[in-house]
Amino acid sequence: MAADILLYDAEIVPVGKDQIQHLEITRDVAARFNNQMGETFVLPLAKIEESTQFIPGTDGEKMSKSKNNTINVFLPEKALQKQIMSIQTDSVSLDDPKDPEKCNIFTLYSLLAPVKSINELRNKYINGGMGYGYVKQLLFELILDKFSEERQKFDYYHQHPEEVNIELSKGAEKARMVAKEVLLRVRKKIGY
């Protein structure tokens, strides 16, 4: 991670609160090299987005690919629906009121839905008479609607990988040019 940051002269690096230590290690590596060899690397600053929220996964823990608790909005509809229907819930009966603030589905829905829809759903939770299957279906439909354009683009590029490869090649060339300058500076400083 430090090499990726330093290799491209990153000045500001957007990080989550749980990643600050990685950036501090990067700054330490750069500062030590700069102190020993002269000004070579940019000392990157962390940019922490304060509005970043904890997003629960399908198991209620922090959403993470390594925990396999994500919702992949690019899955085919049936697979996406199955993934959403697997979201863990409590065992409160259909007729009983439910606490929306303690529900993973409600939290995920709230991240995507308009305020009016969120408030309507909150009232349904509080009043009871609604099951979690209903809310999971609402979330499924909301995701399909909210990400319809992105899903179409994903499907298009999935079917046309040559276009993706062309763009990746262009990006790699741009990155190579920046990295080459940094590597030349490093080599010059160490006498290589």
Side-chain angles (χ1 to χ4, degrees):
M1 185 176 185
D4 287 339
I5 294 168
L6 297 176
L7 189 59
Y8 299 105
D9 281 342
E11 294 177 11
I12 298 173
V13 180
V15 294
K17 293 173 187 169
D18 58 340
Q19 298 172 322
I20 293 174
Q21 69 274 13
H22 297 297
L23 195 62
E24 288 304 316
I25 291 169
T26 302
R27 288 178 56 84
D28 290 346
V29 168
R32 184 166 182 181
F33 188 94
N34 288 350
N35 286 337
Q36 291 180 352
M37 303 303 225
E39 213 51 42
T40 308
F41 291 116
V42 173
L43 294 180
L45 297 174
K47 180 179 182 192
I48 302 168
E49 191 62 48
E50 294 301 327
S51 64
T52 302
Q53 299 178 15
F54 167 83
I55 300 177
T58 55
D59 60 358
E61 298 293 319
K62 180 181 175 186
M63 189 177 281
S64 167
K65 286 192 292 185
S66 63
K67 291 181 181 178
N68 197 25
N69 67 353
T70 61
I71 296 176
N72 182 349
V73 298
F74 298 112
L75 287 174
E77 281 190 31
K78 286 191 184 229
L80 175 61
Q81 188 173 30
K82 183 178 179 181
Q83 199 173 52
I84 290 170
M85 292 301 173
S86 74
I87 296 173
Q88 292 179 6
T89 57
D90 59 32
S91 57
V92 174
S93 73
L94 181 83
D95 294 329
D96 291 337
K98 296 161 188 61
D99 184 352
E101 306 311 319
K102 293 182 180 178
C103 178
N104 301 335
I105 313 163
F106 184 81
T107 302
L108 292 166
Y109 184 85
S110 298
L111 293 170
L112 301 172
V115 174
K116 182 181 177 191
S117 299
I118 295 167
N119 290 334
E120 289 171 0
L121 184 59
R122 178 179 280 112
N123 289 335
K124 288 181 181 180
Y125 267 82
I126 294 168
N127 293 329
M130 175 198 69
Y132 290 117
Y134 170 78
V135 185
K136 289 177 182 182
Q137 186 62 32
L138 282 179
L139 178 60
F140 170 65
E141 291 169 5
L142 178 62
I143 288 173
L144 288 180
D145 180 56
K146 197 81 168 173
F147 295 100
S148 63
E149 187 177 321
E150 291 83 355
R151 287 172 55 84
Q152 288 174 353
K153 284 182 183 179
F154 179 86
D155 290 342
Y156 173 82
Y157 286 117
H158 189 70
Q159 295 171 13
H160 299 90
E162 67 283 353
E163 291 186 38
V164 175
N165 290 331
I166 290 168
E167 292 304 314
L168 287 173
S169 295
K170 288 178 187 176
E173 186 54 38
K174 286 180 185 176
R176 193 176 297 112
M177 290 170 57
V178 173
K180 185 178 179 180
E181 288 181 29
V182 174
L183 286 173
L184 285 173
R185 279 198 322 254
V186 171
R187 288 182 176 145
K188 185 176 180 182
K189 294 286 183 172
I190 62 175
Y192 178 72

